[in-house]
């Protein structure tokens, strides 16, 4: 490969790149520990895993055997602020986010649990709106809400409504989709343009306006995944680029599979209104959260037909090839710029926008 | 039946007893909405269920079909304060509570998810202790922690550590254990003495001492349940009397099955130190939370052998018959007092002790 430069323009020491990260010096939890980036990874690697014991390959959802069934199992808590934002709400995220985590293992999502942590004093009308949104999103996604829990914490110890969903899905025979399967030569695709969710939440939270209103892309992606699998393609990896955005997803794939990933900057679709907002706010769209997009890694022989099927699906109409998997620079993601140079797309330390989901 | 008197001594109008509860007048969430009593039931019935659609019979865990497997699925969030208390911690509760919810459907618990909502500024050392406790409890219970999530909320919008666990278990063929199966004539048993968890947490929280230290009873109960089922007994109902205590569990069974339940006060085992603490604090031990006890409803023909097996198990050594299911006063629980009178054991409105689990 050609020389790789860091953001400061200096060449990067590739040999030092993929060493494990130590738990940093802060003695306390910082916002970045929940950001889906390097700090989150450190917390998992250096605090949770030693306590919990081995959990297998880290991925959006676990695939476990229950009796004779292969079951995908996933959980996420949602603490987004505000509860309602352009294009969606915490209820949409709580359904679509967990549905998508199941779909990223190639599972057919079937059942969700819902667990609320409510702050004393929250308006029941607001909770009702959240519940309605959650129910509507579940019906739209074709999943059933089958079990739940409600806890209340005293005023000042919560923030209105936090909701956790866990999900169960059925993994079909022969389906094996996980980050560790990325192979040099594979093609990297995205299902649509990037950055809408993060910009929508931020604009709403800060009362910003960017001329054109940006709406969240929140959507359930299991129908799109099913269509992709129906082509018979051997899909190697699926990820939904939520916290930490495209950069975090690609870095996790590269690290887990021990491969390099090279993307071409101008092939990554970013809507003009997102690009404008990011320019104003100093954000990098590659790091902004999405809630209705996926990254797919497929063998080159399958790429064209997978791309065609994605483009024919309502949630994949903006699909594009953005790069490829390489044997070079393992565990590193680089972007080829418009000028033909490459830059490192590193794992974010935290999340640019706290409480984005 | 003989006349039933309410707590104020006046006869109770039985006809009016089992009408559905309206969502009460408060426009906001109150602590009692998380207490596992009448306010919690109202929130589920009048807010969540209309939004979510039908969820089937309400119980500790849902039993759903995933492919060819019958899977028990449950979730609970844990917001107990303080994080560590005599006899256990939030980590023990997060494992044992969800394991027990699965066991109450007769399932073999297999896998748990863990989802943390951390408050910015929480000491990583404290989080580490919680994680260690969680891992140790999972190993002790023989369940695997397979998937997880971490979110961080800004200081002042959380309370150190909240943790949600969801669980999966395998339900064997022919196993059908649920509140709706209680039948007149059935025998009601408990697996041990009651009230230890609630008193342990309260004493720690308030800095109270009662002469003898009371420790939480937190324990995983699936081994006990397996031993009970191995007798071949047709166990009709299992419940773990957590929030709202014995009173809430019995009322839920009575309401769901449309039966009456009559317990004999002096047969309900309450440790002297719990009775003393309750007397000082004005609590009723029937309403105090337990985290390592179960209520079982079994046909009379099976009662003796189930009781014998329970008493032979480490988590059931204090098991006792406490009453029976009746055809009289459906949806109502009554206690026969030492004086031969009966009193209504009504569903608590909220929880006597907020944030008990």
């Amino acid at each position: 490969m050609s020389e790789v430069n860091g953001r400061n323009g200096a060449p990067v020491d590739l040999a030092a790149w993929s060493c494990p990260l130590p738990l940093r010096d802060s003695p306390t939890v910082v916002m970045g520990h929940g950001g889906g980036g390097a700090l989150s990874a450190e917390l998992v690697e250096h605090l949770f895993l030693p306590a919990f014991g081995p959990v297998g390959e880290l991925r959006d959802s676990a695939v476990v055997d229950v009796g004779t069934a292969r079951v995908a199992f996933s959980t996420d808590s949602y603490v987004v602020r505000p509860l309602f934002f352009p294009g969606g709400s915490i209820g949409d995220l709580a359904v679509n986010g967990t549905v998508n985590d199941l779909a990223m293992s190639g599972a057919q999502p079937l059942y969700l649990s819902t667990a609320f942590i409510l702050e004393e004093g929250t308006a029941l009308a607001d909770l009702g709106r959240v519940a309605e949104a959650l129910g509507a999103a579940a019906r739209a996604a074709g999943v059933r809400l089958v079990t739940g829990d409600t806890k209340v914490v005293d005023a000042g110890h919560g923030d209105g409504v936090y909701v956790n969903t866990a999900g169960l899905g059925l993994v079909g025979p022969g389906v094996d989709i996980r980050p560790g399967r990325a192979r040099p030569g594979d093609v990297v695709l995205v299902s649509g343009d990037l950055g809408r969710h993060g910009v929508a939440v931020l604009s709403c939270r800060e009362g910003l306006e960017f001329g054109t209103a940006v709406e969240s892309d929140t959507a359930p992606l299991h129908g799109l995944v099913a269509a992709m699998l129906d082509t018979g393609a051997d899909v190697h990896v699926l990820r939904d680029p939520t916290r930490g955005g495209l950069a975090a997803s690609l870095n996790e794939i590269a690290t887990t599979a021990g491969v390099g990933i090279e993307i071409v900057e101008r092939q990554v679709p970013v809507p003009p209104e997102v690009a404008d907002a990011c320019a104003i706010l100093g954000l990098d769209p590659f790091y902004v959260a999405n809630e209705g997009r996926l990254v797919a890694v497929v063998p080159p022989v399958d790429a064209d037909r997978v791309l065609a099927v994605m483009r024919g699906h309502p949630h994949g109409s903006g699909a594009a090839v953005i790069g490829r998997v390489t044997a070079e620079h393992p565990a590193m993601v680089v972007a080829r710029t418009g000028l033909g140079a490459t830059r490192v797309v590193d794992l974010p330390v935290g999340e640019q926008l706290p409480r984005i989901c």
Side-chain angles (χ1 to χ4, degrees), chain A:
Chain A
M1 65 179 291
S2 53
E3 181 174 83
V4 173
N5 295 318
R7 288 189 165 187
N8 60 5
V12 169
D13 176 4
L14 296 187
W17 196 261
S18 62
C19 57
L21 295 154
L23 201 59
R24 300 192 185 195
D25 287 337
S26 168
T28 61
V29 172
V30 298
M31 294 304 292
H33 282 125
L39 284 168
S40 292
E42 286 183 28
L43 200 64
V44 170
E45 183 174 345
H46 295 283
L47 191 145
F48 288 127
L49 292 188
F52 291 176
V55 298
E57 185 175 309
L58 296 173
R59 50 202 284 186
D60 285 329
S61 54
V63 176
V64 295
D65 293 317
V66 183
T68 51
R70 288 178 73 211
V71 178
F73 181 28
S74 186
T75 187
D76 263 324
S77 297
Y78 299 87
V79 299
V80 65
R81 195 178 47 170
L83 298 175
F84 294 83
F85 44 79
S89 71
I90 192 172
D92 298 291
L93 296 188
V95 170
N96 295 338
T98 297
V99 160
N100 291 347
D101 281 344
L102 298 172
M104 296 308 113
S105 290
Q108 168 66 23
L110 297 172
Y111 306 105
L112 297 186
S113 64
T114 57
F116 290 87
I117 299 178
L118 305 177
E119 185 182 11
E120 181 188 19
T122 301
L124 282 171
D126 289 344
L127 178 61
R129 287 174 67 207
V130 169
E132 293 286 349
L134 224 151
R139 286 186 289 277
V143 294
R144 285 182 52 208
L145 307 171
V146 293
T147 190
D149 177 54
T150 304
K151 294 292 192 305
V152 178
V153 295
D154 15 341
H157 290 290
D159 198 6
V161 179
Y162 299 145
V163 59
N164 174 282
T165 51
L168 297 190
L170 183 62
V171 182
V175 173
D176 181 23
I177 300 173
R178 52 190 168 82
R181 289 194 68 215
R183 291 285 172 271
D186 283 354
V187 175
V188 180
L189 304 97
V190 293
S191 65
D193 57 19
L194 300 180
R196 291 185 183 274
H197 175 72
V199 167
V201 171
L202 187 67
S203 66
C204 176
R205 189 189 299 169
E206 310 296 348
L208 303 172
E209 297 192 10
F210 306 109
T212 310
V214 178
E215 297 205 334
S216 171
D217 54 3
T218 178
L221 297 175
H222 57 301
L224 173 62
V225 171
M228 293 163 68
L229 297 183
D230 281 348
T231 63
D234 181 20
V235 176
H236 285 170
V237 186
L238 295 171
R239 292 288 299 201
D240 55 337
T242 56
R243 285 178 291 175
L246 178 69
S249 290
L250 294 180
N251 273 279
E252 285 164 24
I253 295 168
T255 302
T256 304
V259 296
I261 295 179
E262 182 177 305
I263 61 174
V264 180
E265 269 192 353
R266 63 181 155 67
Q267 290 177 209
V268 179
V270 176
E273 59 269 39
V274 168
D276 289 350
C278 285
I280 294 169
L281 298 167
L283 303 177
D284 182 335
F286 288 10
Y287 292 81
V288 175
N290 312 275
E291 290 288 342
R293 299 289 185 256
L294 63 79
V295 175
V297 177
V298 301
V301 65
D302 291 327
D304 286 346
R305 58 178 166 155
V306 169
L307 181 65
V309 161
M310 290 172 79
R311 287 184 169 163
H313 191 279
H315 293 317
S317 56
V321 171
I322 62 166
R324 63 187 179 90
V325 179
T326 71
E328 299 166 308
H329 55 83
M332 182 185 289
V333 179
V334 301
R336 190 163 297 278
T337 67
L339 302 173
T342 54
R343 66 174 175 102
V344 173
V345 180
D346 48 0
L347 185 65
V349 173
E351 158 63 53
Q352 300 179 112
L353 312 169
R355 298 187 56 184
I356 200 73
C357 62

